[in-house]
Amino acid sequence: MIRDLYNVRTVPAEPGTTPLTPEEERRTTAVFFAEIGTKVAEHGWTRFPAHTPEQRRRLLRVGEMLSEHWGTPVSVLAEDECSMRFSLPGHELPPSAGTAQHER
């Protein structure tokens, strides 16, 4: 059975993602700080997904917050187009290891 739809219009797709409210941003950053901080503290490094420029900026801020909290630098580097690597001094990837990993 086919029905005619009256007064129905398509909504144009908006490019990009919807920005977070200040409260959502604060809560998201707090969760990332706790989750990433725990993994880095346990292993000396961790990898975290980041698919958009906004997510990458947020993760860079989390790395700065962790550095301030621990009093030691936490490096935050883009591994590829989809992930960021957080590491403490002594747990960084050698330049050749990162290149070899991407060539596979």
Side-chain angles (χ1 to χ4, degrees), residues 48-59:
F48 205 82
H51 300 283
T52 65
E54 293 85 15
Q55 291 172 341
R56 289 180 184 273
R57 282 191 289 275
R58 188 175 298 121
L59 292 177

Side-chain angles (χ1 to χ4, degrees), residues 66-87:
L66 289 170
S67 294
E68 292 170 14
H69 180 72
W70 289 332
T72 188
V74 175
S75 72
V76 183
L77 299 172
E79 276 196 322
D80 55 29
E81 62 275 355
C82 296
S83 65
M84 302 285 280
R85 181 185 169 91
F86 293 77
S87 58

Side-chain angles (χ1 to χ4, degrees), residues 2 27 38-39 42 46 57:
I2 298 175
R27 290 171 44 193
T38 299
K39 290 181 182 179
E42 289 174 354
T46 192
R57 282 191 289 275

Side-chain angles (χ1 to χ4, degrees), residues 8-55:
V8 175
R9 290 175 253 156
T10 60
V11 178
E14 294 181 20
T17 59
T18 305
L20 299 178
T21 65
E23 175 63 17
E24 291 170 331
E25 185 70 39
R26 187 192 63 72
R27 290 171 44 193
T28 300
T29 302
V31 170
F32 288 170
F33 178 84
E35 185 174 336
I36 293 169
T38 299
K39 290 181 182 179
V40 171
E42 289 174 354
H43 306 289
W45 71 277
T46 192
R47 188 175 289 127
F48 205 82
H51 300 283
T52 65
E54 293 85 15
Q55 291 172 341

